[in-house]
């Protein structure tokens, strides 16, 4: 039972993992009961009716982690799809496969780039770093750090219109969500200029809107601190902590 008079601050949404090397071990799908399978389909149908643009794409879902070797993260994962995020409404938080996602910290002379999720995305109106969920690589290619860097570079190009050499991305931080155990792999990109970045994003928005799809990020902003990001509006659970860590490292 929670003490109504407990004044201790709530733990932060994500924890930073002390990781210098990544390893990945693919495993089987989590076992689901017939009732869970039925409920997942029912809830997904409701999601689709509310947002027909949402796509049941492939996901690399975290099923566990191993930190027994110092500085080494072994991430156990399985192939799922977006509809299985409905398990968050069906199971206790500790029994739900977590998301695996990448982000890019892109510095400019005006601060780091953040974007607002468009209405057709899974998190409309929420401010995030450019990035997205990790898709399982096609066989026989492995899921490894190089694959994550390629995924991060692809997301940056698709969401912001900025193309970077994936080999120039450096792993900045790894976060673990406290509620569902999601793993975030946050990469630092080389600095770029703000003005051409904004022009490129405007051209991307115009091109995608012309195709009827619309952009994934409908607005960009530049922030130098978690406080600045907070003034923009709701943000992803990791955003404030990652921005604080970046600011501490840059100081």
């Amino acid at each position: 039972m929670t003490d109504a008079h407990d004044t201790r601050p709530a733990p932060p949404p994500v924890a930073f993992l002390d990781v210098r090397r990544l390893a990945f071990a693919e495993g089987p799908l989590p076992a689901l009961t017939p009732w869970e399978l039925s409920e997942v389909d029912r809830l997904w149908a409701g999601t689709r009716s509310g947002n027909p643009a949402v796509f049941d794409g492939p996901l690399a879902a975290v099923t566990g982690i191993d930190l027994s070797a110092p500085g080494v993260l072994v991430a156990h994962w399985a192939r799922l799809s977006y509809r299985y995020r409905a398990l968050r409404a069906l199971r206790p938080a500790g029994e739900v496969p977590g998301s695996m996602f990448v982000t890019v910290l892109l510095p400019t002379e005006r601060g780091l780039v953040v974007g607002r999720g468009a209405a057709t995305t899974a998190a409309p109106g929420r401010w995030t770093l450019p990035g997205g969920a990790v898709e399982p690589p096609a066989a026989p290619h492995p899921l490894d750090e190089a694959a994550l860097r390629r995924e991060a570079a692809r997301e940056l190009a698709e969401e912001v219109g900025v193309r970077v050499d994936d080999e120039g991305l450096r792993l900045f931080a790894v976060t673990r969500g406290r509620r569902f155990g999601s793993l975030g792999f946050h990469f630092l990109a080389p600095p770029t200029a703000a003005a051409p970045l904004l022009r490129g994003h405007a051209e991307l928005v115009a091109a995608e809107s012309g195709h009827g799809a619309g952009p994934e990020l409908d607005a960009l902003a530049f922030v130098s601190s978690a406080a600045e990001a907070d003034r923009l509006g709701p943000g992803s659970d990791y955003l404030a902590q990652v921005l604080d860590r970046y600011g501490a490292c840059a100081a």
Side-chain angles (χ1 to χ4, degrees):
M1 179 179 296
T2 301
D3 184 352
H5 301 288
D6 190 349
T7 59
R8 291 175 298 179
V14 302
F16 289 98
L17 304 183
D18 181 17
V19 173
R20 294 180 294 279
R21 186 164 68 84
L22 303 175
F24 298 86
E26 184 176 0
L29 294 171
L32 302 178
T33 67
W35 176 80
E36 286 177 326
L37 289 170
S38 175
E39 283 296 287
V40 164
D41 290 343
R42 183 184 66 82
L43 293 170
W44 177 250
T47 299
R48 286 278 296 162
S49 66
N51 183 2
V54 72
F55 173 58
D56 190 23
L59 291 175
V62 183
T63 55
I65 64 171
D66 181 355
L67 293 168
S68 56
V72 179
L73 167 66
V74 180
H76 297 271
W77 67 282
R79 297 172 187 264
L80 291 178
S81 66
Y82 274 90
R83 73 174 57 212
Y84 288 97
R85 285 182 169 172
L87 289 172
R88 295 179 177 183
L90 305 176
R91 290 183 171 188
E95 298 177 16
V96 177
S99 300
M100 191 181 295
F101 66 95
V102 294
T103 75
V104 179
L105 289 80
L106 181 60
T108 75
E109 74 279 10
R110 294 171 58 181
L112 289 177
V113 177
V114 293
R116 186 179 63 194
T120 54
T121 64
R126 184 175 299 174
W127 289 89
T128 70
L129 295 170
V134 173
E135 297 184 6
H141 304 290
L143 180 58
D144 54 17
E145 185 174 337
L148 295 181
R149 287 198 303 268
R150 291 192 295 270
E151 190 90 2
R154 180 182 63 80
E155 291 283 357
L156 186 63
E158 290 181 355
E159 294 186 347
V160 182
V162 172
R163 299 190 180 277
V164 298
D165 182 352
D166 58 87
E167 294 186 357
L169 297 176
R170 177 177 65 83
L171 186 62
F172 172 75
V174 178
T175 56
R176 174 79 159 163
R178 293 195 183 276
R179 187 175 182 195
F180 295 114
S182 298
L183 281 178
F185 302 94
H186 309 279
F187 291 91
L188 180 62
T192 191
L197 182 151
L198 290 173
R199 288 196 297 270
H201 181 253
E203 293 170 358
L204 178 68
V205 170
E208 294 195 350
S209 298
H211 295 148
E216 292 186 58
L217 300 178
D218 62 12
L220 298 183
F222 304 95
V223 297
S224 299
S225 66
E228 289 182 10
D230 187 58
R231 287 194 287 271
L232 294 173
S236 295
D237 59 357
Y238 66 82
L239 185 60
Q241 289 175 253
V242 171
L243 290 176
D244 280 343
R245 174 163 288 206
Y246 176 79
C249 293

